[in-house]
Each structure stands twice: as C-alpha cells, then as structure tokens.
Amino acid sequence: KTWYEHNKFLTPDDIRDLTNETDEYYYNVYTLGNWGVLGNRVFTNWKIEDLTGMRNQFVYPHVGLDFGFSSDPAAMVVSHYDRTRKTIYIYDELYETGLTNDILANEVKSRITDNLVVCDSAEPKSIAELRRYGVNASGARKGKDSVLFGIQWLQQQTIIVDKSCINMQNELSLYKWREDKDGNAIRQPVDKNNHLIDGLRYAYEDEGQDSWTVH
C-alpha cells in the first residue's frame, strides 16, 4: 500500500489539499491510499485507443480551455467530432500548473493554429491577454443548469481518448456524482477532477441544444 507521503512529486499545495480533504471518499482513496470503487461515475461512455493513424483526418478541432495557475492546472483539450457517429475523438491535451498567460499562449499555439479556443468566461482578463498573444480565444456562455445540460449532452456521445491523454483518462475515471447521506448518487457532480472535462464542455457548447450553455 502506498499513500501521499510516498509521492515525492507532490507540492506543498498538493499535500495541504490532501490532508485537508473533506470528502470522505477522496480522503480514503487519495490521502490514505485505500482502494476506490467505480460506482457513481459521471461518464462510462468512453474508451482508450491509439489515434495516431487518424490524426490527419482531424482537420476541424474543437478546443476548450479551463484556466488555472497554482493548485489548479491550466487545462486544454483538443478533439474532433464525428456528428454522423456521435463520436468525440480526444487526441491532445495540455495540463500544467504555473503557466502565466504568455507561456500558456505559446503552449496553445504549439498545439493548434488559428482554431477557436473556447475558454472559461470567468476570466475575461486572461481571455483578452490570450488574444493579444495571438490566440483565437473566446469566452464560453453561462446559463442556468448549464453544467448538467453539458454533461447530459456529452453522455449521449461516444468518447474515444488517445492513449497519450493520461490526464483526461484520469478525470473521466474519477469524475463522480455527489451522494446523499445514504450513499445514493444525486444529479450534482463533485467539483473535482473536471478541469479537462470543463474544457470539453466549453468546446462543444454549440453542438448541444440551443437551450443549454456552459457554466
């Protein structure tokens, strides 16, 4: 058995978050290193494949970006959508802490060209800075129950994740619904392990119903 004290790569912020964890499930699994369960996962409609041979077909990428800096990462996901098959192919990701907006812009531009990047609109200053650095950035829309509407639309798709996108695989594995006092899942996701998933919702806001927008 291993637990957080065995992980030499944890930052002081990581250790603080783990030792102060208030969610009983996450404390047991990620702080104490006990076995977890796969119940109450938000997404089960995904699988891992090697998409190397398909990348030349992905000419119209959907790109979403969730801002972060210290304890939360800047998280960008790049994917292709096959509307006929209702399939999302996730083939690139950025997941790093400590990136100032100028460095973030360079990282974004190294992965895509002038494609639209739909960003968390809670940071209009960061969006404006990315634009100044040459990124075609736009803020995602917000609306009532937008998180649930976005999740519901993504659940109706088949999601295929390239084997290199480890962080997206982790988030899809760990993102779960909250539970009531009796341990039953309720339709409210735990706000954790969702940085890339939020970016994925942002990227596909125009593909869903006109009535939902991202939060």
Side-chain angles (χ1 to χ4, degrees), residues 101 105 109 124-137:
N101 285 333
K109 290 186 293 184
K125 181 179 179 182
S126 292
I127 293 173
E129 289 184 354
L130 289 183
R131 287 175 180 162
R132 285 198 296 272
Y133 292 125
V135 176
N136 183 15

Side-chain angles (χ1 to χ4, degrees), residues 35-189:
W35 285 101
V37 295
L38 297 179
N40 297 336
R41 288 190 302 164
V42 174
F43 294 107
T44 58
N45 56 319
W46 66 281
K47 58 184 177 180
I48 303 168
E49 292 186 9
D50 183 353
L51 299 178
T52 304
M54 298 182 63
R55 292 195 180 202
N56 61 344
Q57 304 174 36
F58 302 153
V59 293
Y60 299 110
H62 286 67
V63 188
L65 173 64
D66 191 43
F67 291 108
F69 184 72
S70 56
S71 58
D72 290 334
M76 184 181 77
V77 56
V78 185
S79 62
H80 170 79
Y81 186 45
D82 186 331
R83 292 179 182 85
T84 302
R85 295 179 174 85
K86 296 185 67 174
T87 300
I88 297 172
Y89 296 89
I90 297 173
Y91 60 95
D92 199 4
E93 66 176 28
L94 167 68
Y95 195 88
E96 290 188 39
T97 58
L99 299 183
T100 55
N101 285 333
D102 57 336
I103 298 175
L104 175 60
N106 288 333
E107 291 285 347
V108 171
K109 290 186 293 184
S110 71
R111 287 168 167 79
I112 59 173
T113 54
D114 58 351
N115 305 101
L116 177 66
V117 181
V118 186
C119 309
D120 181 3
S121 56
E123 295 199 26
K125 181 179 179 182
S126 292
I127 293 173
E129 289 184 354
L130 289 183
R131 287 175 180 162
R132 285 198 296 272
Y133 292 125
V135 176
N136 183 15
S138 176
R141 301 187 301 272
K142 290 182 179 286
K144 179 177 172 55
D145 294 328
S146 56
V147 174
L148 288 178
F149 280 122
I151 288 173
Q152 182 178 357
W153 185 84
L154 289 173
Q155 288 175 326
Q156 295 169 0
Q157 318 303 312
T158 297
I159 301 174
I160 300 178
V161 186
D162 186 75
K163 65 179 185 178
S164 66
C165 297
I166 302 299
N167 295 292
M168 177 57 83
Q169 295 170 34
N170 289 339
E171 288 197 359
L172 290 170
S173 297
L174 299 173
Y175 196 41
K176 69 167 190 168
W177 298 111
R178 292 190 181 278
E179 299 174 356
D180 62 20
K181 60 182 178 64
D182 298 316
N184 301 310
I186 59 177
R187 293 286 292 176
Q188 182 181 3

